[in-house]
Amino acid sequence: MTETRREDGLRVLGGLSAAAFLGDYWQRRPLLVRQAFPGFEPPLDGGDLAGLALEDTVESRLVRGSASQPWRVRHGPFAEGDFLQAPERDWTLLVQDVDKHVPDAAWITDAFDFLPQWQLDDLMVSYAVPGGSVGPHVDRYDVFLLQGHGVRRWQIGPPGSGRETLSGGLRLLDGFEATDTWDLEPGDLLYLPPGVPHHGVAVTACTTWSIGLRSVSALDLLTGLVDDLGRDEQALAPIPDTIPTGRRPPARLTDRDLAHWRAALRQLLADDRQLDRAIARTLSGNKPGFLETDDEAEDLQILPSAATPSDPDVDRLPSAGLLVRHPAVRLTLLPATADDAARLCINGEEQRLPLHRFALADCLCGKRQVPVAALDGHLTSADNRRWLQQLLDRGLWEHQSDQGGGNCQR
């Protein structure tokens, strides 16, 4: 374990550069950073989280238990009485996708923009009373644990230690033994790669902000490819059967039969561009319920129209403001090839981008907040202005009056 405060890199990484972090720590070993967010004032407290957990559209869990009493997990939505009657110790409330439900909290994730935007899964926030925990466990994804209010004690163990068991609806580690222990205070950050056993327990009433990263499996990508092939006439066409050659047992597949069917499948997988597009769409996919798609939405085909009288007119967009991407937007940008146009995928939906529109998209997608002034050179085209207007009308981006500088060079 390393605790570092070099001054030549990113504060959120304790002074490490992004390259150093990705080369030495990412998916390899934990990193503890004291005061990664100095003076951190969490935008939500325990009462705010409890209020979110009352809503039908919010995914939440209430975990009770400790080393000396049984573990139990309940899923929301909850009622006010669930919290009014809660004991003074040993319970934790967890709320998923806080960045999408409370966009004002999404700025926390901006500190991690040295990682691909599509890789961010969600901002989960937990509130725990003293002794509150979800037990010792292992995650199969990367996570940054930012301490909000109060103090939380984290312990980690060596990878592979302990045995996973199911207890009260939780996958916990039996026989967990800690090798390192730290008390995290507001603004402290702990990075954990996949597979590291860890156990967090509230020392005082506290909130913890978990920036979780996605793990994408080969099956996820194949599922995305199958969805794409389901719209491909060539893939839906019957494969010609092999011509029988003499008598054989009727159920037996010969080497010739198998080679025929393997060749047919490989032919479907031979188009690299089709694979690239399937990958781009899959990586941009979002959870159901956030910015649902509407296949009949004109041209953009991303969101149902959500225009309101306050939606800005692109032709009169104040140059001093910012265009801010909605936290529920997940996107990938696929450059053009000699034979195919560029593609922009937003929440699993794809659109073709002509060259002039790709340049605007590349600038717009570079950061979650982009100065309007940085787009000036891309808005001389009427087509680009119309396209940007659609993004605003459908709620994918919004205009904010904050001052900002910068350009699209990266």
Side-chain angles (χ1 to χ4, degrees), residues 188-212:
D188 292 344
L189 181 75
L190 176 63
Y191 162 71
L192 295 175
V196 174
H198 55 283
H199 186 200
V201 180
V203 178
T204 67
C206 65
T207 58
T208 301
W209 298 68
S210 301
I211 298 91

Side-chain angles (χ1 to χ4, degrees), residues 13 24 49 56 75 77 95 113 142 153 164 281 293 327 369 404:
L13 297 178
D24 296 336
L49 286 180
D56 292 340
H75 294 268
V95 179
D113 64 1
D142 302 87
R153 178 167 297 150
E164 266 196 332
R281 276 191 290 270
T293 61
Q369 301 185 40

Side-chain angles (χ1 to χ4, degrees), residues 78-270:
F78 296 100
E80 290 186 10
D82 293 316
F83 302 111
L84 295 175
Q85 300 168 11
E88 294 182 356
R89 291 189 55 86
D90 301 337
W91 61 267
T92 302
L93 171 66
L94 305 101
V95 179
Q96 303 285 154
D97 295 295
V98 169
D99 52 324
K100 303 175 183 67
H101 295 295
V102 185
D104 286 345
W107 64 267
I108 293 171
T109 65
D110 293 345
F112 303 91
D113 64 1
F114 55 87
L115 297 170
Q117 188 272 335
W118 55 262
Q119 202 159 26
L120 179 67
D121 190 19
D122 79 331
L123 179 62
M124 181 187 75
V125 185
S126 67
Y127 170 75
V129 296
S133 176
V134 297
H137 64 283
V138 168
D139 293 324
R140 289 167 176 79
Y141 51 85
D142 302 87
V143 63
F144 293 89
L145 300 164
L146 171 64
Q147 190 59 29
H149 305 93
V151 179
R152 190 175 188 88
R153 178 167 297 150
W154 286 102
Q155 296 178 311
I156 66 169
S161 62
R163 180 175 60 89
E164 266 196 332
T165 60
L166 193 62
S167 178
L170 299 170
R171 287 195 173 276
L172 302 180
L173 289 176
D174 187 18
F176 171 79
E177 294 185 4
T179 56
D180 294 278
T181 301
W182 307 276
D183 286 355
L184 268 64
E185 299 181 350
D188 292 344
L189 181 75
L190 176 63
Y191 162 71
L192 295 175
V196 174
H198 55 283
H199 186 200
V201 180
V203 178
T204 67
C206 65
T207 58
T208 301
W209 298 68
S210 301
I211 298 91
L213 285 299
R214 296 175 76 193
S215 57
V216 179
S217 68
L219 181 59
D220 294 329
L221 298 178
L222 286 173
T223 300
L225 178 62
V226 169
D227 290 342
D228 290 346
L229 292 175
R231 299 186 289 268
D232 187 321
E233 291 186 6
Q234 179 181 353
L236 294 173
I239 300 172
D241 292 334
T242 55
I243 300 174
T245 55
R247 293 185 59 82
R248 62 177 177 181
R252 183 178 300 172
L253 288 170
T254 67
D255 290 342
R256 182 171 176 269
D257 293 330
L258 293 171
H260 171 77
W261 297 110
R262 287 197 302 264
L265 288 174
R266 286 172 178 149
Q267 184 176 355
L268 283 176
L269 300 177

Side-chain angles (χ1 to χ4, degrees), residues 11-88:
R11 180 183 286 275
V12 73
L13 297 178
L16 287 172
S17 68
F21 170 76
L22 294 172
D24 296 336
Y25 294 91
W26 178 250
Q27 299 193 333
R28 289 176 176 83
R29 52 182 172 146
L31 175 67
L32 173 65
V33 181
R34 296 293 185 185
Q35 290 304 290
F37 285 67
F40 180 48
E41 296 182 5
L44 302 175
D45 59 20
D48 298 321
L49 286 180
L52 283 173
L54 305 181
E55 299 181 15
D56 292 340
T57 57
V58 175
E59 183 182 350
S60 58
R61 290 170 291 158
L62 191 59
V63 177
R64 294 183 180 178
S66 68
S68 60
Q69 56 181 306
W71 294 96
R72 293 176 294 164
V73 59
R74 288 179 53 202
H75 294 268
F78 296 100
E80 290 186 10
D82 293 316
F83 302 111
L84 295 175
Q85 300 168 11
E88 294 182 356

Side-chain angles (χ1 to χ4, degrees), residues 323-402:
L323 289 186
V324 181
R325 187 173 65 237
H326 192 287
V329 168
R330 181 178 287 154
L331 49 82
T332 55
L333 195 57
L334 193 64
T337 65
D339 303 317
D340 189 37
R343 311 282 170 147
L344 174 65
C345 300
I346 301 180
N347 290 6
E349 295 294 324
E350 173 198 282
Q351 63 172 301
R352 295 166 59 93
L353 295 178
L355 185 60
H356 63 276
R357 191 179 292 182
F358 176 82
L360 171 58
D362 194 32
C363 182
L364 195 60
C365 298
K367 296 281 187 180
R368 194 176 68 88
Q369 301 185 40
V370 178
V372 174
L375 304 178
D376 283 350
H378 303 287
L379 297 180
T380 56
S381 159
D383 179 70
N384 274 0
R385 292 197 301 274
R386 172 179 172 272
W387 183 65
L388 180 57
Q389 188 70 59
Q390 289 181 337
L391 297 177
L392 294 168
D393 289 347
R394 288 173 167 82
L396 294 165
W397 273 262
E398 70 171 1
H399 177 265
Q400 292 184 2
S401 59
D402 302 51

